[in-house]
Amino acid sequence: MQLVDKACKVLGVPADIVLREFGKYFFEFCKRSGYDHMLRTLGGNLYEFIENLDALHSYLSLSYQEMNAPSFRVEKNEDGSMHLHYYSDRRGLCHIVPGIIGAAALDFFNIEISMKIVNQTEEEERTGKKEHIVFLVTQNPLFPCKERNEFSSSSQCLVDSEKQIENQLNKEDLEKAKNANGDRGNSVCPVKKSHWKTLRGIITLGKGKLLRGFDPVYPKSLWIDTKTFCNGLPFHMVFDKELKVKQAGVSIQKIVPGLQTMGISLDQYFRIVHPEVPFTISSIQKFINSQFVFQTRREMMPESWRERPMLELRGQMMWMEPLQCMLYLCSPLLRSLHELEERQMHIADIAPHDVTRDLILLNQQRLAEMELSSQLERKKEELRILSKHLEEEKKKTEALLYAMLPQHVANQLKEGKRVEAGEFKECTILFSDVVTFTNICAQCEPIQIVLMLNSMYLRFDRLTTVHDVYKVETIGDAYMVVGGVPVPVPTHAERVANFALGMIMAAKGVQNPVSGNPIQIRVGIHTGPVLAGVVGEKMPRYCLFGDTVNIASRMESHGVPSKIHLSSSAYQCLKNKNFEITERGEIEVKGKGKMHTYFLIRNKSATENEIMGRPMKDLDSGHESVQSIPEGKIEAIPSSHQPATQAQQKKEQTPTIAMKYVDGPTDAQNSLKRRNQMKAGDLTGKTCDSKSDGSLHGNQHADDGPRPPNQGRVRPAAEEPQNRNVRSNFCTLL
């Protein structure tokens, strides 16, 4: 009603106009919703249509049990008009009725009606006060009779049609008799049969008169005995004006034994559920065209029925004028087999001719189909949720997989394809290790070593994203990175060089758990050709093979603490790239003889923030360039084995800004890749990185002496079982 009030203010029209237009729209809405055929078959004229509206609402209540529908009662007047009685619990909506009824009359019966309120009262009903509106309905033909709907049955139209047909038939008979003699002797030609003759053969009877109506024939006496009547109609009752029971069917007697005592008052055992009127003969006669629903009274039922749901009966009332009694022809109002079982009744209790049997079984089938459909919808929703979760888990799995293997290699392995080894004519390999790592391991608890390495490797892993280099693996304190593999790029040497500078700076933020000072690392870089491929089926690794790996390892093992040791080939790639490089000279390299090597000092054109991948807002925060690295910013390794503080976690979550190279991806691609790397970091940052294989006791060496050669591979085959066990222990400790 608030919506109607606002619409009236906006449109500047009274409420009855708005409600009437809504009634017209509601009728069209019901037709579009699938009720068109059902509404058209309610009656052959407007009177029958309105008379059966309550029956339609009663049927719909089977599916919509909470529906509170209005009630309609119609009375014919001698002048052809009608009085429509409208009862409703909802006050103020009576003006919808002329819109609905008028639209139905125009659409179904081609007549235009006018409705006006002649009486408006409130009646005290069983459930409270009801609004009772009486409309005077007058109807006038809108179209010629021949254009009327097939459901229209106006009596005046029928009379006019009959007269036209009779006159036409008489004219044809006269013309036929007049021309009978003239036609004799002429040649006979086929003549098309008149449609009037066809119509005569269909609708005439006897002497050619139109069959205008139907007069039923009644027997002189009723050819059925009382016992057969009560058995054939097991649910029926006859009562007089005082509601005294005169007769009852056998099934209703079985359920309500009190009815076997003739002369009892019917309202003692039943109450009227629909229509909601007082239980008097006058109220029943007023609504005699409506369906009546009776419900048994619990206090009058036998003890066995006290705990069961009460039985409801539905049927029609017929007034027998000669006997001054009312006949109630009814059936049990049951919707399903469950309701039948609740009342401890059986299908056999219902007469075979009663369609209630079919309604119960059909509705039971419908309920089963609805339950099946509901289950399918629930399963569909569960599958949708599971599919969503599966997609999320798939993304997490792929992110973790891509953090372990190159994306194109991982995709080939997922598809079950064999990954062929690839040859790269030029790439740059980096090795690093922690100075005095053996001594640190001997003087610390294992968990302190794990925390130190994890803190350092997290920083190094972040730098791989900044410079887009590939982390091959870690063995103990050794960290291996390659540029130009698996995706060849011309700037592979520059990327690895900047990464090495970032490693030196990042290592100064990690504390030595023995001395409390920043840890020192050695870095070695070499450029050359390699062969790369996937090794093994269980825990497959993307490994590099070739002498380039050995030389890079020698550059690291023969390096100087906190220095970046370059081979001559790496120097040739970097000498004209704005890097400051100093010559070390010739040194004796184990297994290689004398080699001319160099030290990388700094990048002349890049700032510390660019190399470390810090956001632009940190440019003015006081950080110095590569040449003057602060010594005091060290992250302590807690000896109490407590998790990192919120400040440390916030520092680790600093956004990573990829450094730009001339052959690098666009900013949009950088952003996308950065998001993917951050997702992978969320999955692996708090757990053991699958590539960070720690070795607390194995693969140890003298810190000042050269390391043994790797036989042209990343690690010797003899170390594989030991390192696998170490990896397991490392992950467990983390």
Side-chain angles (χ1 to χ4, degrees), residues 538-573:
K538 292 185 177 180
M539 296 184 66
R541 294 301 182 104
Y542 188 72
C543 298
L544 306 182
F545 303 90
D547 193 51
T548 302
V549 179
N550 286 330
I551 298 176
S553 179
R554 295 294 183 270
M555 291 297 103
E556 173 264 318
S557 60
H558 291 75
V560 179
S562 298
K563 294 287 186 178
I564 302 170
H565 196 196
L566 302 179
S567 67
S568 58
S569 61
Y571 167 75
Q572 293 298 325
C573 292

Side-chain angles (χ1 to χ4, degrees), residues 380-395:
K380 180 181 177 182
E381 181 64 18
E382 291 175 3
L383 288 175
R384 188 189 66 81
I385 296 174
L386 288 176
S387 177
K388 182 179 179 181
H389 290 167
L390 180 62
E391 189 66 25
E392 293 175 356
E393 294 301 323
K394 181 182 177 183
K395 291 180 180 179

Side-chain angles (χ1 to χ4, degrees), residues 646-660:
Q646 291 184 358
Q648 293 170 350
Q649 293 177 355
K650 185 176 181 181
K651 182 178 179 181
E652 292 176 358
Q653 296 174 358
T654 303
T656 302
I657 307 300
M659 190 169 179
K660 294 182 179 181

